[in-house]
Amino acid sequence: MSSKQYDVLVIGAGASGLMTAYMAAQRGRRVVVVEKANKVGKKILMSGGGKCNFTNLYVEPDNYISHNPHFVISALTRYTNWDFIALVCEYGIEYEERKHGQLFTLNGAKEILAMLLAECDKTGLVDIKTSCEVKAVNALEEHGFQVATNLGYFEVESVVVASGGLSIPTLGGSGIGYEIAKQFGHYVYPTRAGLVPFTFSDGFKEVTTRLSGNAVEATLSNHLNSFTEALLFTHRGLSGPSSLQLSNYWDVGQSFKVDFLPSLDLLDFFKTRKQNQPKVLLRTLLAEHLPKSVVVELQQLIWMDQAEISIGNISDEKLETIAQRLHAFEVKPSGTEGYRTAEVTLGGVDTTEVSSKTMESKKQKGLFFVGEILDVTGHLGGFNFQWAWSSAHAASEYV
């Protein structure tokens, strides 16, 4: 038996799905949201350590990775970070600005989820069904779709795929959206874990294990990009914002460089101290700028043969070599922690086959893609949420 009481079916009750639902309902569309998990908005609730980094003050197309970089411009321009901030303010949700323009709620991500659900309720036209798994999506001969789920069949005019990526499968992430895209003839770029910590299997793993819990401000860079933010040592490797950011630009088999003191010209620093304090040891000097335990490990890796030699007795040439290595220490991860802890999924539905204005498939009328399912990945800092809001808004005007 098919239910024809809805106009639009949204797959996924995450950020982009709920946003699409309430905005489409504001246009008078009757919407059903089907969510495979037993609760809605699980990823929203755990994001930003439970504080939800819901957008950023400085949203630019350059904050996004895609094989088709211009795709994001239209949606981001028509529904901006300021539009979402206005909604947050309307609900009296308190938030704070952290570094790099990141905006976090003060009282928890649950307020953002409650706001989206309240907007859905206000319309009286949105039904949300949890523990509802999509089994098949079939296009009907005339127009529209029949969607088979474990809770029955739905006949609708439009289907919005807002099922997210493969990251953090325990929160309900699955590949259903990619399967639907392929079914209707879309190319899907290979996916991999993004915004994810690095792991090591070589000798450097022992170093990171010993330093586990220590953090330093560092620059991580490769031929594609560089990020200067906190670097965190873990039992398995490297994490923290700088690692997560660079993971979006890294692939297995590649190495990258770590600058442990990006704000200091080390050679200049060494030469000045060599004149003023010739009897001091290098580790003593560096401990002014880095945690002692980190200095001890770097000493073993870089200047062990000079460990007990005072700076006055080390040649300028040798000091230059040490400075260079501290500014560009090369590491080669064995991999990442994968989808288990990844914040996003890189790759996805090829955006050249989707309208940047409406998010509608160019191959199948009435089929829309929003949020992370598309080949659009934001940097760390609220950009992925902003893409969810902006792409949802674009689709909601046409479903």
Side-chain angles (χ1 to χ4, degrees), residues 194-256:
L195 296 181
V196 63
F198 291 109
T199 54
F200 292 83
S201 55
D202 58 6
F204 193 64
K205 180 183 187 293
E206 292 158 30
V207 174
T208 68
T209 302
R210 286 194 295 270
L211 289 176
S212 182
N214 277 286
V216 297
E217 190 78 5
T219 299
L220 270 56
S221 62
N222 61 12
H223 64 291
L224 292 174
N225 218 324
S226 83
F227 296 94
T228 304
E229 287 192 63
L231 172 69
L232 176 69
F233 295 94
T234 73
H235 286 290
R236 290 182 289 275
L238 296 175
S239 187
S242 57
S243 293
L244 300 186
Q245 296 277 38
L246 197 69
S247 72
N248 281 353
Y249 295 90
W250 176 87
D251 224 330
V252 177
Q254 297 174 347
S255 58
F256 61 84

Side-chain angles (χ1 to χ4, degrees), residues 338-380:
Y339 291 121
R340 188 178 63 81
T341 63
E343 292 193 24
V344 290
T345 303
L346 288 149
V349 177
D350 182 356
T351 57
T352 60
E353 301 171 348
V354 176
S355 162
S356 63
K357 184 183 178 189
T358 66
M359 301 293 137
E360 187 174 15
S361 162
K362 292 179 182 175
K363 293 178 173 284
Q364 176 64 49
K365 189 169 170 45
L367 180 65
F368 296 77
F369 298 97
V370 294
E372 197 182 345
I373 189 76
L374 289 158
D375 173 38
V376 172
T377 304
H379 288 171
L380 188 73

Side-chain angles (χ1 to χ4, degrees), residues 213-371:
N214 277 286
V216 297
E217 190 78 5
T219 299
L220 270 56
S221 62
N222 61 12
H223 64 291
L224 292 174
N225 218 324
S226 83
F227 296 94
T228 304
E229 287 192 63
L231 172 69
L232 176 69
F233 295 94
T234 73
H235 286 290
R236 290 182 289 275
L238 296 175
S239 187
S242 57
S243 293
L244 300 186
Q245 296 277 38
L246 197 69
S247 72
N248 281 353
Y249 295 90
W250 176 87
D251 224 330
V252 177
Q254 297 174 347
S255 58
F256 61 84
K257 290 186 166 68
V258 182
D259 182 346
F260 286 102
L261 287 156
S263 58
L264 189 66
D265 181 333
L266 270 174
L267 184 58
D268 194 48
F269 172 69
F270 286 158
K271 284 181 171 175
T272 307
R273 292 303 180 88
K274 185 175 175 174
Q275 281 190 312
N276 302 342
Q277 295 171 272
K279 294 199 166 129
V280 77
L281 296 174
L282 278 184
R283 66 170 173 268
T284 311
L285 288 179
L286 288 166
E288 293 173 20
H289 297 280
L290 292 167
K292 274 193 178 135
S293 50
V294 174
V295 175
V296 168
E297 294 292 345
L298 290 173
Q299 175 178 272
Q300 277 212 291
L301 293 165
I302 299 173
W303 71 93
M304 200 55 206
D305 51 343
Q306 262 84 28
E308 306 307 325
I309 299 172
S310 58
I311 192 166
N313 294 320
I314 302 175
S315 71
D316 284 1
E317 193 181 13
K318 186 68 186 173
L319 288 174
E320 187 172 358
T321 305
I322 295 167
Q324 277 172 351
R325 285 209 61 199
L326 284 165
H327 279 316
F329 187 81
E330 194 165 331
V331 295
K332 189 174 182 178
S334 55
T336 69
E337 291 194 7
Y339 291 121
R340 188 178 63 81
T341 63
E343 292 193 24
V344 290
T345 303
L346 288 149
V349 177
D350 182 356
T351 57
T352 60
E353 301 171 348
V354 176
S355 162
S356 63
K357 184 183 178 189
T358 66
M359 301 293 137
E360 187 174 15
S361 162
K362 292 179 182 175
K363 293 178 173 284
Q364 176 64 49
K365 189 169 170 45
L367 180 65
F368 296 77
F369 298 97
V370 294

